[in-house]
């Protein structure tokens, strides 16, 4: 019994070295803070591009200089290939996209929260104010099971 205990201690000591197995920086760990999103003319930046299925919180900050919004679709389409209307803005009831939720009209300098239950799958987040999607405000967000 004693020998086994000593061996175990030896193993434990050996294992206490640098065991810093870095996890993917891009995945939002469960129970972490909200996914930070920054919007500006005309770009949308996600601090983390994926999260675990369940309640996902976003914190959307608008750097301006225009008002922006934050719209979440579940879709397998490429972020720049969502169905659009004749004006170039995304058709939120279009084929291949499922509108999940959104924050409308985020004023310049403001930060708005959005918490939604997301199932595993692929999502695209955009700003759908006039011309903003076409100008490049779209990103992919992945939810893992
Ligand atoms: Cu916008």
């Amino acid at each position: 019994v004693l020998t086994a205990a000593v061996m175990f201690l030896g193993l434990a000591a050996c294992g206490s070295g640098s065991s810093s197995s870095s996890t993917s920086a891009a995945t939002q760990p469960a129970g972490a803070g909200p996914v930070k999103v920054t919007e500006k003319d005309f770009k949308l930046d996600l601090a983390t591009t994926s999260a675990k299925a369940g309640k996902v919180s976003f914190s959307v900050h608008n750097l301006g200089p225009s008002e922006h919004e934050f719209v979440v679709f579940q879709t397998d389409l490429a972020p720049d290939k969502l169905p659009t209307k004749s004006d170039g803005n995304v058709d939120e009831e279009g084929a291949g996209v499922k509108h999940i939720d959104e924050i409308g009209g985020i004023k310049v300098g403001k930060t708005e929260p959005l918490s939604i239950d997301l199932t595993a799958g692929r999502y695209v987040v955009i700003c759908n104010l006039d011309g903003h999607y076409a100008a490049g405000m779209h990103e992919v967000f992945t939810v893992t099971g």
Side-chain angles (χ1 to χ4, degrees):
V1 173
L2 235 179
T3 314
V6 169
M7 277 183 68
F8 175 75
L9 283 170
L11 282 171
C14 282
S16 70
S18 59
S19 60
S20 56
S21 53
S22 58
T23 49
S24 171
T27 303
Q28 183 80 352
V35 176
K36 286 196 162 50
V37 183
T38 308
E39 295 188 312
K40 62 183 175 189
D41 295 28
F42 291 100
K43 194 149 170 31
L44 198 155
D45 278 312
L46 298 161
T48 50
T49 54
S50 65
K52 288 270 186 199
K55 188 167 283 302
V56 178
S57 296
F58 295 92
S59 177
V60 186
H61 180 61
N62 180 10
L63 285 174
S66 301
E67 189 168 304
H68 292 293
E69 60 176 15
F70 182 73
V71 190
V72 182
F73 296 102
Q74 188 168 19
T75 180
D76 287 322
L77 298 172
D80 61 347
K81 294 283 188 291
L82 303 190
T84 51
K85 297 190 271 196
S86 56
D87 58 9
N89 297 329
V90 171
D91 182 353
E92 299 187 358
E93 279 85 46
V97 296
K98 184 185 176 197
H99 180 272
I100 302 295
D101 209 339
E102 69 178 68
I103 309 169
I106 306 166
K107 299 264 186 283
V108 176
K110 295 289 181 200
T111 303
E112 302 278 355
L114 180 68
S115 283
I116 33 181
D117 273 312
L118 297 179
T119 55
R122 194 171 164 288
Y123 296 80
V124 170
V125 295
I126 73 163
C127 173
N128 206 23
L129 293 186
D130 204 20
H132 293 202
Y133 170 76
M137 296 190 73
H138 45 66
E139 288 297 328
V140 172
F141 189 77
T142 308
V143 175
T144 57

